[in-house]
Amino acid sequence: MATLMARLLFFTWLILPFCGTEKVRQRALRQRDAEYIERYNGCMQGPAGTPGRDGNPGANGIPGTPGFPGRDGLKGEKGECVRESFEEPWKPNFKQCAWKSLNYGIDLGKIAECTFTKMRTDSALRVVFSGSLRLKCKNACCQRWYFTFNGAECTGPLPIEAIIYLDQGSPEFNSTINIHRTSSVEGLCEGIHAGLVDVAVWVGICSDYPRGDASTGWNSVSRVIIEELPK
């Protein structure tokens, strides 16, 4: 009996260290397997790739709700009153008065008259007289043909006129020769108010010269042309 107990104790002494060592060895193997699995089964991070292209723009989002009204601003300075004016496009405005064979032999006075309606005050009138003129005298003489507007000569800027001067001539060329020539008197006049304008052609004397024997509109058509022009 004592021998049997002795054998069991000896066997136990041999087995216990072996079992402990086996457990430690198995634990080490399991830890090594876990490290192996974690090392080789996990994904290793490689180098950074090339940046990708920008994507397509996204769709517009849902409109937001209106915000709260802001506070009133500071009161501004008082402005100046400006009247805006719109000018109408310019329309042609002209008139012609014509006479057949005026045959006016007067030396002083009104020859012809033509009434014109001027549309604007800030415009100018262009006037033209075309007709036959004549002057004769035995000695030196001068006659003047000119325009008037409502009875007064133009002052904007100066009178509209034409003159004929005749000297006493020479024995070879007698100054009493009767020559009628178609001539013209024309010009622009500013500063005339809008409305009816009486445009007239007159004959008179030249300053510092005697008058002669004048004739206007002999045996031909005479005309006065009036045209309103913008400045």
Side-chain angles (χ1 to χ4, degrees), residues 72-117:
D72 294 338
L74 299 177
K75 185 177 181 180
E77 298 180 358
K78 185 177 180 180
E80 297 181 359
C81 181
V82 178
R83 180 178 296 175
E84 188 174 5
S85 61
F86 297 92
E87 294 187 0
E88 297 180 357
W90 184 264
K91 296 180 180 179
N93 184 22
F94 60 90
K95 183 179 181 180
Q96 175 179 249
C97 298
W99 303 268
K100 185 177 181 180
S101 299
L102 280 174
N103 288 333
Y104 270 23
I106 61 175
D107 304 327
L108 297 173
K110 185 188 295 184
I111 298 172
E113 186 175 43
C114 185
T115 302
F116 181 78
T117 302

Side-chain angles (χ1 to χ4, degrees), residues 1 5 10 20 25 42 54 57 69 81 104 121 123 133 141 143-144 156 210-211 216 230:
M1 186 69 178
M5 291 296 295
F10 178 76
R25 189 170 64 86
D54 294 339
C81 181
Y104 270 23
T121 298
S123 61
L133 304 181
C141 60
Q143 293 291 141
R144 174 175 178 259
R211 72 181 185 182
T216 306

Side-chain angles (χ1 to χ4, degrees), residues 18-33:
F18 178 78
C19 291
T21 302
E22 182 64 20
K23 290 182 179 180
V24 171
R25 189 170 64 86
Q26 289 180 358
R27 189 183 300 114
L29 288 174
R30 287 196 299 271
Q31 183 175 0
R32 188 179 63 179
D33 292 342

